[in-house]
Amino acid sequence: MAESDRDLDQRLERAIMSLLERRADTASICPSDAARSVYEGDDDGWRALMEPARRAAWRLVAAGEVEVTQGGRPVAESETRGPVRIRRAQR
């Protein structure tokens, strides 16, 4: 049975938070890190999870858990062009 979108969304959100918890407070991850950790294969099928991983990051931004950055500064979803990083929200 195929995994539901909601299950995948939750797994990606948990993966992002788990990856960040294992790094220094100021460290960041790439959305691909979460996509790779959730993907259950040996090929590059994780690439299909990149957009869902980015959406998971934006949901976590809305929840106040993380920041999405470009060039080391937080950005709004509407401002992003190209690669982004994810870090814990600065409290």
Side-chain angles (χ1 to χ4, degrees), residues 12-73:
L12 284 163
E13 289 173 17
R14 285 194 304 268
I16 290 168
M17 295 310 296
S18 176
L19 288 163
L20 288 172
E21 286 165 11
R22 296 195 300 256
R23 288 175 171 73
D25 285 348
T26 56
S28 65
I29 63 167
C30 178
S32 67
D33 296 326
R36 289 175 208 260
S37 75
V38 168
Y39 182 66
E40 297 170 350
D42 296 333
D43 56 11
D44 64 355
W46 60 268
R47 293 179 188 281
L49 299 179
M50 282 299 294
E51 202 48 47
R54 283 173 168 255
R55 288 194 305 266
W58 290 115
R59 285 192 302 277
L60 291 169
V61 167
E65 296 289 331
V66 302
E67 294 174 329
V68 171
T69 65
Q70 285 188 309
R73 70 174 191 84

